[in-house]
Amino acid sequence: MTRRLAAWLVAACIAALPSRAPAHDLIDAQGAERYLLRIEREQDVLHSKASPTARAQASVALGSTLDEIRDLLNRDIASHGQPQGLPTLFLIQSLRSRGLALEISPALGCYPANLGFYRSALRLDPDGPGAGEARLRLLQGHFYDSFGQDPLQPRDQSWAMLQEQIRHAEILLRASPAEPNREEVLFILAVHHLQAARAAPDAGARGVHAKQARETIAQFRSRYPDSLRVAALDVLGEGLAR
């Protein structure tokens, strides 16, 4: 387990670093107002009689905005133990009054990803222009929030949820060979196949996913030989031989 966690944490910490806002970014009064104006516009479209495509894109944008705020709140928690500053607290309260309460997850000790808006976007327009981003954010958000120390022991992940995650990753990989997040998506897919090789409801399905995990790991190693994630996958995949 020590080698597993060492390899995993190196890769996961780098992969999961928030990149949507600079490290020095803080929520000041002007920033809080800008977020609320964006959210108001996105909610107006989402709750309007606009086309399913327009509402799906608004749903993705709303989820993205909330996740941007979430990243900043989680940095506050990492630095200070809790969100800091009157503008930040004003923003949190304003979101709650709009029915968009951000709540700390006791299991995670931080704010989780806002997955519901991405699922809503895919229900509204599963093949539209916002579907790719919705799938990617859903895949990332679920994955990084789903486990503590060991990705092969996810919390509260049903077999149906795991199958859905695998399907999202496969669609993303098929849809865009030039996907800028392809390395991360392929890595997550490999880990999900490893999870499925342990959690599938019958021996046949476990064997199928073990085979798919080996193939995905080999593909990842071939495409990204210098990635730190290679070491993580090698360690996580040690149990496949058994």
Side-chain angles (χ1 to χ4, degrees):
M1 179 61 72
T2 301
R3 287 180 59 231
R4 170 179 292 176
L5 293 183
W8 165 254
L9 288 173
V10 169
C13 286
I14 291 175
L17 281 174
S19 59
R20 291 184 287 277
H24 62 274
D25 198 3
L26 299 173
I27 300 176
D28 57 17
Q30 292 76 22
E33 288 295 338
R34 284 195 297 271
Y35 278 130
L36 290 173
L37 285 173
R38 278 168 57 181
I39 288 167
E40 182 177 4
R41 289 195 299 268
E42 290 153 2
Q43 282 191 305
D44 284 347
V45 176
L46 185 58
H47 299 313
S48 73
K49 295 182 179 180
S51 68
T53 295
R55 285 183 286 133
Q57 289 179 295
S59 190
V60 173
L62 182 53
S64 174
T65 299
L66 292 174
D67 276 339
E68 190 175 318
I69 296 169
R70 169 233 193 192
D71 286 344
L72 295 175
L73 296 180
N74 283 342
R75 290 178 187 179
D76 249 356
I77 291 174
S79 299
H80 308 293
Q82 61 183 1
Q84 298 286 306
L86 289 177
T88 297
L89 299 178
F90 166 75
L91 179 57
I92 292 172
Q93 182 56 45
S94 297
L95 291 174
R96 183 174 290 113
S97 70
R98 291 173 176 272
L100 299 172
L102 299 181
E103 304 290 351
I104 294 176
S105 163
L108 298 175
C110 62
Y111 291 89
N114 296 275
L115 304 183
F117 293 102
Y118 308 130
R119 291 194 176 101
S120 176
L122 291 173
R123 285 194 297 269
L124 283 165
D125 195 12
D127 301 311
E133 184 177 358
R135 289 187 193 282
L136 177 63
R137 289 182 174 274
L138 188 55
L139 184 77
Q140 293 169 322
H142 172 88
F143 180 70
Y144 292 116
D145 283 355
S146 68
F147 60 88
Q149 291 185 321
D150 187 350
L152 298 186
Q153 295 183 356
R155 312 181 189 91
D156 301 325
Q157 179 174 264
S158 68
W159 177 240
M161 291 167 63
L162 180 53
Q163 289 179 303
E164 178 187 59
Q165 288 294 103
I166 289 172
R167 185 165 59 253
H168 288 319
E170 290 174 340
I171 291 172
L172 284 167
L173 293 172
R174 286 197 303 269
S176 178
E179 163 66 55
N181 297 284
R182 189 178 182 87
E183 178 185 337
E184 183 181 18
V185 172
L186 191 61
F187 173 75
I188 292 174
L189 177 60
V191 175
H192 280 323
H193 278 310
L194 287 168
Q195 292 172 341
R198 295 159 57 104
D202 58 76
R206 289 193 293 272
V208 168
H209 283 286
K211 180 176 182 291
Q212 291 174 323
R214 283 190 289 269
E215 291 173 350
T216 308
I217 291 171
Q219 182 183 357
F220 188 95
R221 187 184 295 109
S222 174
R223 285 180 175 269
Y224 309 106
D226 299 323
S227 173
L228 289 173
R229 293 181 173 112
V230 171
L233 288 176
D234 284 345
V235 176
L236 291 171
E238 285 176 350
L240 286 176
R242 298 192 292 273

